[in-house]
Every structure is written in structure tokens, then in C-alpha cells.
Amino acid sequence: LKEATKKIISIYNGRGFKIEQAIMDEEFEPIRGHLADMQVGLNVAGRNEHVPKIESYIRTVKKRCRAAC
């Protein structure tokens, strides 16, 4: 999980984006220290809590996939 997260962040950084905050589920809590070493803050969504911006994006992706099919 640490290596995959590091790879994703490096891809974004390589494209000119600066990742400062990550909003993730509580299952990512164990890598909080790893993210802090990379100067990325971790905002953990609580149990049964949804992040509206992410939920909206997921719906958009699903709609686009259905339209393409």
C-alpha cells in the first residue's frame, strides 16, 4: 500500500501537481506516517461517512462508461 501510494503521488508530482492533502477511507490510517514523510496530510473519512466530491466523481465516471458501452 505504501509503495502504490508513493507511486501514484510521484506520477501526479511529475505532471506538475502538488499533493498536499489526501482524503481516504479509514483503512489507509496505517500509512499516515508514510504520507507525512512525503509532506501529504491525511484526512480520513469516518465510518459510514461519504465524501461528496468523490462520490459525485464516481457517479460521473460510471455514467460515462455506460454511455460509451
Side-chain angles (χ1 to χ4, degrees):
L1 194 55
K2 290 178 187 179
E3 291 304 314
T5 306
K6 182 179 179 180
K7 184 175 181 177
I8 291 168
I9 291 172
S10 69
I11 290 170
Y12 276 96
N13 289 338
R15 302 290 192 269
F17 294 96
K18 172 73 171 119
I19 307 299
E20 296 177 351
Q21 190 74 21
I23 304 171
M24 300 180 173
D25 291 335
E26 61 187 19
E27 59 198 31
F28 289 90
E29 184 66 42
I31 65 168
R32 182 180 292 274
H34 179 68
L35 290 172
D37 292 342
M38 296 187 310
Q39 287 83 37
V40 176
L42 176 61
N43 185 354
V44 177
R47 183 167 298 207
N48 296 325
E49 179 182 345
H50 297 282
V51 180
K53 192 172 188 176
I54 295 171
E55 296 293 328
S56 173
Y57 181 70
I58 291 169
R59 280 193 306 274
T60 301
V61 170
K62 285 182 179 180
K63 286 178 185 177
R64 289 180 183 170
C65 289
R66 288 184 192 118
C69 290

